[in-house]
Amino acid sequence: MAVRTGRPNQNRSTNREDRRTDKTDQPPTVMTAALDLQETDPIAPIVMTMDIILIPAGSFMGPTKDEMQSVMSGLSDLQIQQMLAIMHDKSVPDKKSQVNAAATNKAAPLPASTPPSPHPLSSSPPDTTTELAEPGPPLLLAPPAEHHATTPHAPTPAPPPLRRSERLSMPSVRLRDYVCNHVMLPIPDHSSSLLLRPTKGTRFLLCNYLSYHRYSLAHLVFIAKVSTLVEPNSYEEATPHSHWQEAMQSELQALFDNHTWSLTPLPAGNKPIGCRWVYKIKLKFDGSVERYKARLVAKGFTQLEGVDYHDTFSPTAKMPTVRCLLALAAARNWPLHQLDVNNAFLHGDLHEEIYMLPPPGLRRQGENLVCRLHKSLYGLKQASRQWFTKFSQAICSSGYIQSKADYSLFTRHKGHSFTALLIYVDDIVITGNDPIAISALKAFLHHHFCAALVDFPMEKGLKLSDKGELLKDPAHYRRLVGRLIYLTITRPDITYSVHVLSRFMHAPRKPHMEAALRILRYLKKSPGQGILLSSQNDLTLRAFCDSDWAAEAEYRSMAAACCELSWLRSLLKYLRILHRQSALLYCDNKAALHIAANPVFHERTRHIEMDCHFIRDKIQEGLIATQHVSSSSQLADILTKALGREEFNNLVQSS
């Protein structure tokens, strides 16, 4: 809208150029307005904003009364008064001031030389005084009501003052933890001044309240890295990325190794529960990615009480117990050890018959198989209870007593030694006055729950038998042992363990599978172990023979080793390596050495086959020389018996 100023009762036939030059120095008097109406959508409401342009009086002639009536016939009386107030004082009063000004204020007196101009829409004279309101925001003129018609010659009654609510406005309780002061930002307008207006779009922009200028460069880099990382919300979002595929494959492999489920057809009358993947990015302290973790979670909210689960309660440590234990450790100057059990819930055994749909990525087209759960899974209602039951049984079997005051506290007192363990879900705190007992407890927990890597392939003195629960899928065991047999070509240190496991290929049981998995953990701990073919080799034949039985068995093993040495000697001859000195044969059984070297013992060995006595001939010919070796240096023990950690490692290092 363009605002024109002028003297309304001037003769319009007078030369306009003269009026413009004669009246430029006079102040503005009564203002009239002309609205430039644009064509708008007849359906959408018409909202007109007014840009104020002040022009000195006399700059150009004002509109006629007919022009004003034609332009302003569709406006209400209140809008006309507001518009006149804007043109008179270059500002817009607020809503309350507009009502008060229209109701009580009078127009200011005009100069004596200029008579008052009548209202363009009314024959009655206007008020002589007007008190203008404070400046306010730009006015929005609403579209005229269709039923309203303004009579040109009827006086306009002043609208009644609006009552303002006096009720106290309280902020929402959900915003009590946030700073919600609204910030008014300066935004340039079409006029020469700047008006404070709220930002559009988001009502409370975060950038108006937070500032990062006090952060160090390292923190800014950290924020930038974290802001660019996105964790997928579904399997479909994670599939296109190779690192998430590797994370899911690793999780599935861990579940397979733990025997969490077995694939089977769904029995009639059973309804399987669903599952989904949950993705998490583990970060380092500097914001870089440590690893991508994918966890399979069962949809336990679809379980039915009495069908899929019964009891769900699982005790957790009470906070007073935690404080008391920490205070005791501080007062007695005891060390504190904190442990976290990886995949704790996966260790619990399930007693209910639960079927689950195969996880995304494992389903095969055309198969109607489901997962029969044998171990707990994250998301199951009874997962926490089953894990605590498994943990309690294991810790109590090692001599610890469960407290009656707090079932999450386990203690062990032996002489002057005292050890306490407190568990909260999968976090464990250990303290006490005996460092040796604490170390033994940590080793026990690692062995039972953490699937820690081991230093030797088979436990010392382990005796496997045909007792135990049969495996439901023996093919998996057979394939694993078959691969281990092939691996013994380059890893002779696992020969004895694999030989023992191969005896149970026809009907493998759960203890056999656990022993096979232990070999895998040993191989993972020592991937570079093998046979060293040194360049500093004098090509001298040396052999070690041993048997885990009496002297007769040791003598037979000497005969077998003698046959092998004779064959190697002939092989080296074809390779043009002449072995002139006697081959050394080491044995740790003195009785067997005496039988091989002295014919006097022939009467005592008549039940031994004659072909076993050819070792005597080789010794007499000088092709074989026997020597006694202590059991601690007997390298053949690795191939004949299960050794402890120290014995096994010493022999491997010496070989």
Side-chain angles (χ1 to χ4, degrees):
M1 180 183 70
V3 178
R4 301 181 180 179
T5 64
R7 302 179 64 180
N9 289 334
Q10 189 73 17
N11 188 356
R12 299 189 61 85
S13 61
T14 308
N15 187 284
R16 296 183 179 180
E17 197 67 25
D18 296 337
R19 290 186 306 176
R20 187 176 297 110
T21 55
D22 295 340
K23 307 300 181 181
T24 52
D25 296 332
Q26 298 181 7
T29 58
V30 178
M31 298 181 180
T32 59
L35 300 177
D36 296 330
L37 300 179
Q38 303 293 333
E39 293 184 0
T40 60
D41 189 347
I43 300 178
I46 302 174
V47 179
M48 295 172 288
T49 59
M50 299 188 299
D51 298 329
I52 309 303
I53 303 176
L54 293 179
I55 303 175
S59 298
F60 54 86
M61 67 178 182
T64 63
K65 181 177 180 180
D66 295 337
E67 293 174 342
M68 288 298 299
Q69 289 180 351
S70 63
V71 172
M72 307 179 69
S73 60
L75 301 179
S76 64
D77 297 338
L78 179 59
Q79 292 172 340
I80 295 175
Q81 293 179 14
Q82 292 171 342
M83 184 181 65
L84 294 177
I86 293 171
M87 294 186 294
H88 193 284
D89 197 50
K90 302 178 291 182
S91 64
V92 181
D94 57 12
K95 191 175 296 183
K96 184 175 181 181
S97 300
Q98 295 166 3
V99 175
N100 295 337
T104 59
N105 295 342
K106 298 181 180 180
L110 298 176
S113 59
T114 305
S117 173
H119 194 285
L121 302 180
S122 176
S123 59
S124 61
D127 295 336
T128 58
T129 60
T130 302
E131 183 178 354
L132 298 178
E134 296 296 328
L139 177 65
L140 295 180
L141 298 180
E146 297 179 357
H147 66 277
H148 180 76
T150 304
T151 304
H153 302 288
T156 303
L162 299 178
R163 185 182 68 84
R164 192 177 187 86
S165 176
E166 298 179 357
R167 185 179 63 178
L168 296 178
S169 178
M170 301 297 294
S172 174
V173 294
R174 289 178 290 183
L175 302 177
R176 59 189 174 189
D177 295 332
Y178 302 91
V179 179
C180 298
N181 297 326
H182 195 71
V183 176
M184 306 293 288
L185 299 179
I187 298 178
D189 197 11
H190 295 291
S191 61
S192 59
S193 62
L194 293 179
L195 300 177
L196 291 178
R197 295 181 179 178
T199 57
K200 296 181 179 180
T202 305
R203 186 178 182 185
F204 302 106
L205 289 178
L206 193 61
C207 60
N208 297 339
Y209 309 100
L210 295 182
S211 176
Y212 301 99
H213 70 282
R214 295 182 182 274
Y215 283 112
S216 63
L217 180 60
H219 283 82
L220 292 176
V221 173
F222 176 83
I223 294 174
K225 290 182 178 179
V226 172
S227 302
T228 57
L229 298 175
V230 178
E231 296 176 350
N233 296 320
S234 63
Y235 174 78
E236 289 73 18
E237 294 181 10
T239 303
H241 304 282
S242 59
H243 50 268
W244 287 120
Q245 291 182 2
E246 294 176 0
M248 290 187 287
Q249 185 63 33
S250 176
E251 177 73 2
L252 288 176
Q253 187 61 44
L255 295 175
F256 292 152
D257 295 340
N258 195 43
H259 306 288
T260 306
W261 66 65
S262 59
L263 294 176
T264 180
L266 181 64
N270 290 271
K271 183 177 181 180
I273 63 176
C275 60
R276 65 184 299 266
W277 286 102
V278 177
Y279 305 95
K280 185 67 177 178
I281 301 176
K282 300 293 184 178
L283 303 177
K284 297 180 181 178
F285 69 95
D286 59 351
S288 59
V289 178
E290 180 180 1
R291 64 190 180 103
Y292 296 91
K293 183 175 181 59
R295 172 162 287 172
L296 186 65
V297 178
K299 296 181 179 180
F301 55 87
T302 61
Q303 291 182 259
L304 299 177
E305 184 177 3
V307 179
D308 297 327
Y309 71 96
H310 298 281
D311 296 327
T312 61
F313 173 75
S314 176
T316 56
K318 300 177 177 63
M319 287 300 106
T321 307
V322 178
R323 299 188 188 98
C324 289
L325 187 63
L326 296 180
L328 178 62
R332 300 287 180 86
N333 197 23
W334 290 348
L336 285 171
H337 301 265
Q338 192 273 335
L339 304 177
D340 179 73
V341 182
N342 295 328
N343 299 324
F345 286 2
L346 302 183
H347 294 283
D349 297 322
L350 292 178
H351 305 294
E352 298 84 2
E353 188 175 355
I354 302 176
Y355 296 92
M356 183 185 72
L357 293 175
L362 192 64
R363 302 169 185 171
R364 299 178 181 177
Q365 188 175 5
E367 288 186 352
N368 295 323
L369 301 178
V370 295
C371 299
R372 166 70 161 88
L373 296 181
H374 307 295
K375 297 290 185 68
S376 294
L377 201 64
Y378 282 89
L380 293 179
K381 291 184 177 295
Q382 65 268 49
S384 177
R385 180 181 179 87
Q386 297 304 119
W387 148 244
F388 186 82
T389 302
K390 183 71 172 290
F391 178 83
S392 301
Q393 294 174 353
I395 197 68
C396 290
S397 66
S398 64
Y400 283 77
I401 300 175
Q402 190 173 19
S403 172
K404 302 298 182 182
D406 191 334
Y407 286 93
S408 299
L409 178 64
F410 300 85
T411 59
R412 184 175 183 270
H413 181 257
K414 186 177 182 181
H416 297 287
S417 174
F418 176 80
T419 310
L421 180 148
L422 186 65
I423 181 172
Y424 186 90
V425 188
D426 58 351
D427 293 308
I428 299 174
V429 176
I430 303 175
T431 187
N433 59 1
D434 190 353
I436 298 178
I438 293 177
S439 300
L441 176 59
K442 293 170 63 176
F444 174 81
L445 295 176
H446 277 286
H447 173 70
H448 278 76
F449 301 110
C450 297
L453 303 180
V454 294
D455 299 326
F456 52 103
M458 182 170 284
E459 295 181 7
K460 184 177 182 179
L462 178 64
K463 301 296 183 182
L464 295 177
S465 62
D466 292 330
K467 296 181 180 180
E469 180 184 355
L470 287 171
L471 295 180
K472 296 183 178 181
D473 185 15
H476 181 59
Y477 175 85
R478 293 163 183 163
R479 288 193 298 268
L480 175 59
V481 174
R483 292 184 175 93
L484 292 176
I485 292 174
Y486 184 76
L487 187 60
T488 56
I489 297 174
T490 56
R491 294 296 300 265
D493 49 335
I494 64 173
T495 300
Y496 174 75
S497 303
V498 176
H499 170 70
V500 173
L501 295 179
S502 62
R503 301 175 185 172
F504 307 98
M505 299 285 275
H506 62 288
R509 300 177 183 270
K510 188 174 181 180
H512 307 151
M513 190 65 183
E514 293 176 354
L517 294 177
R518 179 184 177 87
I519 297 178
L520 294 182
R521 294 198 296 269
Y522 165 72
L523 293 173
K524 188 175 182 181
K525 179 84 178 280
S526 57
Q529 187 67 45
I531 301 176
L532 176 62
L533 302 177
S534 175
S535 60
Q536 307 297 326
N537 192 349
D538 58 359
L539 300 179
T540 300
L541 290 177
R542 289 185 295 270
F544 293 82
C545 63
D546 183 48
S547 179
D548 197 19
W549 296 97
E552 179 184 343
E554 296 278 0
Y555 183 69
R556 290 179 180 274
S557 67
M558 290 180 64
C562 183
C563 294
E564 191 73 13
L565 289 174
S566 300
W567 178 80
L568 288 174
R569 183 184 291 273
S570 62
L571 178 64
L572 291 175
K573 184 183 297 185
Y574 282 99
L575 296 175
R576 304 187 65 81
I577 298 176
L578 300 179
H579 200 277
R580 302 184 184 277
Q581 65 271 29
S582 301
L584 296 178
L585 179 60
Y586 296 93
C587 180
D588 60 354
N589 190 286
K590 293 183 178 181
L593 291 175
H594 289 312
I595 295 175
N598 194 344
V600 176
F601 291 96
H602 179 71
E603 294 295 330
R604 302 180 183 179
T605 58
R606 285 182 298 177
H607 58 284
I608 300 178
E609 292 81 357
M610 294 299 298
D611 57 352
C612 293
H613 295 299
F614 81 99
I615 187 175
R616 299 174 184 173
D617 301 333
K618 298 297 181 181
I619 294 176
Q620 293 177 359
E621 294 175 5
L623 300 178
I624 300 293
T626 59
Q627 290 188 9
H628 179 264
V629 64
S630 63
S631 298
S632 59
S633 301
Q634 177 59 279
L635 297 181
D637 282 349
I638 298 178
L639 309 177
T640 58
K641 57 179 67 70
L643 303 176
R645 177 186 292 106
E646 295 183 2
E647 297 173 306
F648 182 85
N649 291 333
N650 291 336
L651 292 177
V652 169
Q653 294 295 333
S654 61
S655 61

